[in-house]
Amino acid sequence: MAPTIEDTPIIRKTRELCQAILAEPSVQAIRQRIDTFMADESARSQYDSLVTKGQALQQKQQMSQALSGEEISDFEQHRDSLLKNPVARAFLDAQQELHEVRESIQKYVSKTLELGRLPSDEDLNSGCCGDHTC
């Protein structure tokens, strides 16, 4: 009987990697900022309102409709207000940091699969990515 995907050495090592990521103090600090934001209904509401306004403006642009100065100004005021909220600002920064962690891991794994070996610093900084051969 073939082993299930959960039983493979790759999955076991992936789980170890995930555990190491969760144990990393910088990741724990990121999670704490996200949890603080999620517990702050006012900050979440402010964020959700801005996202909704941004989506409405984007939809209008996609439909080739002109945005009024008032709409843009209203969005910018809400954005500035959100960025002045320390809980919301910490959340946005945490999201960016998690994105960078994710990208770094993806780049390392992708390069490993692409090269068939562990990538060197030079390989990782070469600017090539994905399925492109350098």
Side-chain angles (χ1 to χ4, degrees):
M1 178 179 211
T4 63
I5 189 112
E6 292 83 25
D7 293 337
T8 67
I10 291 173
I11 294 300
R12 284 193 297 273
K13 289 296 183 182
T14 301
R15 288 176 192 252
E16 287 177 28
L17 171 62
C18 291
Q19 188 58 50
I21 291 167
L22 291 173
E24 175 64 34
S26 63
V27 173
Q28 290 176 357
I30 290 169
R31 287 294 328 158
Q32 179 59 46
R33 288 181 285 168
I34 291 170
D35 292 345
T36 298
F37 171 80
M38 296 306 287
D40 187 326
E41 193 170 321
S42 174
R44 281 194 348 259
S45 176
Q46 192 177 15
Y47 175 82
D48 290 343
S49 175
L50 182 68
V51 168
T52 300
K53 286 178 186 295
Q55 289 171 338
L57 293 179
Q58 187 176 31
Q59 186 175 35
K60 227 177 151 177
Q61 281 184 314
Q62 288 173 344
M63 295 172 63
S64 300
Q65 296 177 353
L67 302 180
S68 71
E70 288 177 11
E71 289 172 311
I72 295 169
S73 177
D74 181 56
F75 176 81
E76 289 174 347
Q77 286 175 346
H78 280 82
R79 182 192 62 211
D80 292 344
S81 177
L82 180 75
L83 294 176
K84 289 177 185 172
N85 180 326
V87 172
R89 181 75 237 179
F91 169 73
L92 294 171
D93 291 343
Q95 278 189 316
Q96 180 60 35
E97 290 169 36
L98 273 183
H99 175 75
E100 290 167 7
V101 168
R102 186 179 302 114
E103 291 237 332
S104 176
I105 293 166
Q106 283 180 316
K107 184 176 184 179
Y108 202 95
V109 171
S110 293
K111 274 293 185 184
T112 299
L113 294 172
E114 176 186 327
L115 299 170
R117 61 174 170 77
L118 289 178
S120 66
D121 288 343
E122 184 178 299
D123 294 326
L124 293 170
N125 296 321
S126 69
C128 294
C129 60
D131 296 327
H132 301 93
T133 348
C134 302

